Short mmCIF file of all heavy atoms in Angstrom, two decimals:
data_model
loop_
_atom_site.label_atom_id
_atom_site.label_comp_id
_atom_site.label_asym_id
_atom_site.label_seq_id
_atom_site.Cartn_x
_atom_site.Cartn_y
_atom_site.Cartn_z
N HIS V 247 5.86 9.08 -12.26
CA HIS V 247 5.65 9.56 -10.88
C HIS V 247 5.93 11.05 -10.78
O HIS V 247 6.72 11.60 -11.57
CB HIS V 247 6.61 8.82 -9.93
CG HIS V 247 6.46 7.34 -9.91
ND1 HIS V 247 5.24 6.74 -9.70
CD2 HIS V 247 7.35 6.35 -10.05
CE1 HIS V 247 5.41 5.42 -9.72
NE2 HIS V 247 6.67 5.15 -9.93
N TYR V 248 5.28 11.70 -9.81
CA TYR V 248 5.62 13.10 -9.57
C TYR V 248 6.95 13.22 -8.84
O TYR V 248 7.63 14.26 -8.92
CB TYR V 248 4.51 13.82 -8.79
CG TYR V 248 4.00 13.12 -7.57
CD1 TYR V 248 4.74 13.06 -6.40
CD2 TYR V 248 2.73 12.52 -7.56
CE1 TYR V 248 4.28 12.42 -5.27
CE2 TYR V 248 2.25 11.89 -6.44
CZ TYR V 248 3.02 11.84 -5.30
OH TYR V 248 2.55 11.21 -4.18
N VAL V 249 7.33 12.21 -8.08
CA VAL V 249 8.63 12.09 -7.48
C VAL V 249 9.07 10.65 -7.61
O VAL V 249 8.27 9.74 -7.37
CB VAL V 249 8.61 12.47 -5.96
CG1 VAL V 249 9.99 12.26 -5.33
CG2 VAL V 249 8.17 13.89 -5.77
N GLU V 250 10.31 10.41 -8.02
CA GLU V 250 10.79 9.03 -8.08
C GLU V 250 11.31 8.62 -6.70
O GLU V 250 12.18 9.29 -6.16
CB GLU V 250 11.92 8.90 -9.13
CG GLU V 250 11.44 9.03 -10.55
CD GLU V 250 10.46 7.95 -10.96
OE1 GLU V 250 10.48 6.83 -10.36
OE2 GLU V 250 9.62 8.19 -11.86
N PRO V 251 10.76 7.58 -6.14
CA PRO V 251 11.23 7.13 -4.80
C PRO V 251 12.69 6.71 -4.84
O PRO V 251 13.11 6.00 -5.77
CB PRO V 251 10.29 5.98 -4.47
CG PRO V 251 9.79 5.48 -5.77
CD PRO V 251 9.72 6.68 -6.68
N GLU V 252 13.44 7.14 -3.85
CA GLU V 252 14.85 6.77 -3.75
C GLU V 252 14.97 5.27 -3.50
O GLU V 252 15.86 4.59 -4.05
CB GLU V 252 15.52 7.53 -2.63
CG GLU V 252 16.99 7.21 -2.44
CD GLU V 252 17.61 8.01 -1.32
OE1 GLU V 252 17.05 9.08 -0.97
OE2 GLU V 252 18.67 7.59 -0.81
N ASP V 253 14.08 4.74 -2.69
CA ASP V 253 13.99 3.30 -2.41
C ASP V 253 12.63 3.05 -1.76
O ASP V 253 11.77 3.93 -1.80
CB ASP V 253 15.15 2.85 -1.52
CG ASP V 253 15.23 3.63 -0.20
OD1 ASP V 253 14.19 4.12 0.29
OD2 ASP V 253 16.35 3.76 0.33
N THR V 254 12.44 1.88 -1.21
CA THR V 254 11.15 1.57 -0.58
C THR V 254 11.09 2.01 0.87
O THR V 254 10.15 1.63 1.60
CB THR V 254 10.87 0.06 -0.64
OG1 THR V 254 11.99 -0.65 -0.08
CG2 THR V 254 10.64 -0.40 -2.08
N GLY V 255 12.02 2.84 1.32
CA GLY V 255 12.07 3.23 2.72
C GLY V 255 10.82 3.88 3.23
O GLY V 255 10.25 3.47 4.27
N ASN V 256 10.32 4.93 2.57
CA ASN V 256 9.12 5.59 3.02
C ASN V 256 7.89 4.72 2.82
O ASN V 256 6.95 4.80 3.62
CB ASN V 256 8.96 6.95 2.29
CG ASN V 256 9.90 8.00 2.83
OD1 ASN V 256 10.27 7.97 4.00
ND2 ASN V 256 10.28 8.95 1.96
N LEU V 257 7.85 3.93 1.77
CA LEU V 257 6.72 3.02 1.55
C LEU V 257 6.65 1.99 2.68
O LEU V 257 5.57 1.74 3.23
CB LEU V 257 6.89 2.33 0.20
CG LEU V 257 6.80 3.24 -1.02
CD1 LEU V 257 7.48 2.58 -2.23
CD2 LEU V 257 5.36 3.56 -1.36
N ALA V 258 7.79 1.40 3.01
CA ALA V 258 7.83 0.41 4.08
C ALA V 258 7.48 1.04 5.43
O ALA V 258 6.77 0.44 6.25
CB ALA V 258 9.20 -0.26 4.15
N ALA V 259 7.96 2.28 5.66
CA ALA V 259 7.68 2.94 6.92
C ALA V 259 6.19 3.23 7.06
O ALA V 259 5.58 3.05 8.13
CB ALA V 259 8.49 4.23 7.03
N PHE V 260 5.55 3.70 5.96
CA PHE V 260 4.12 3.97 5.98
C PHE V 260 3.37 2.67 6.28
O PHE V 260 2.47 2.62 7.14
CB PHE V 260 3.69 4.56 4.62
CG PHE V 260 2.26 4.99 4.56
CD1 PHE V 260 1.93 6.33 4.60
CD2 PHE V 260 1.22 4.06 4.46
CE1 PHE V 260 0.60 6.75 4.55
CE2 PHE V 260 -0.10 4.47 4.38
CZ PHE V 260 -0.41 5.82 4.44
N ALA V 261 3.71 1.61 5.54
CA ALA V 261 3.02 0.34 5.73
C ALA V 261 3.17 -0.17 7.15
O ALA V 261 2.18 -0.63 7.77
CB ALA V 261 3.56 -0.68 4.74
N GLN V 262 4.37 -0.12 7.70
CA GLN V 262 4.57 -0.64 9.06
C GLN V 262 3.82 0.18 10.09
O GLN V 262 3.21 -0.39 11.03
CB GLN V 262 6.08 -0.65 9.38
CG GLN V 262 6.40 -1.46 10.64
CD GLN V 262 6.11 -2.94 10.40
OE1 GLN V 262 6.74 -3.60 9.61
NE2 GLN V 262 5.11 -3.48 11.12
N ARG V 263 3.87 1.51 9.98
CA ARG V 263 3.16 2.33 10.95
C ARG V 263 1.66 2.08 10.86
O ARG V 263 0.96 2.08 11.88
CB ARG V 263 3.49 3.80 10.71
CG ARG V 263 4.94 4.17 10.99
CD ARG V 263 5.16 5.66 10.87
NE ARG V 263 6.59 5.97 10.89
CZ ARG V 263 7.09 7.18 11.18
NH1 ARG V 263 6.27 8.17 11.49
NH2 ARG V 263 8.40 7.38 11.18
N LEU V 264 1.15 1.90 9.65
CA LEU V 264 -0.28 1.62 9.50
C LEU V 264 -0.62 0.25 10.13
O LEU V 264 -1.58 0.14 10.88
CB LEU V 264 -0.64 1.63 8.04
CG LEU V 264 -2.04 1.11 7.66
CD1 LEU V 264 -3.12 1.95 8.32
CD2 LEU V 264 -2.20 1.10 6.14
N LEU V 265 0.18 -0.77 9.84
CA LEU V 265 -0.08 -2.09 10.37
C LEU V 265 -0.04 -2.10 11.88
O LEU V 265 -0.84 -2.73 12.57
CB LEU V 265 0.92 -3.09 9.81
CG LEU V 265 0.76 -3.44 8.32
CD1 LEU V 265 1.99 -4.20 7.83
CD2 LEU V 265 -0.49 -4.29 8.08
N ASP V 266 0.91 -1.35 12.44
CA ASP V 266 1.07 -1.32 13.89
C ASP V 266 -0.07 -0.55 14.58
O ASP V 266 -0.47 -0.91 15.70
CB ASP V 266 2.41 -0.66 14.27
CG ASP V 266 3.62 -1.51 13.89
OD1 ASP V 266 3.43 -2.71 13.64
OD2 ASP V 266 4.74 -0.96 13.84
N ALA V 267 -0.57 0.48 13.92
CA ALA V 267 -1.56 1.36 14.56
C ALA V 267 -3.00 0.94 14.30
O ALA V 267 -3.89 1.28 15.09
CB ALA V 267 -1.37 2.81 14.09
#
Side-chain angles (χ1 to χ4, degrees):
H247 300 308
Y248 48 73
V249 176
E250 289 298 334
E252 180 179 339
D253 56 29
T254 53
N256 284 331
L257 294 158
F260 186 105
Q262 193 66 66
R263 294 185 191 201
L264 170 61
L265 289 168
D266 291 344

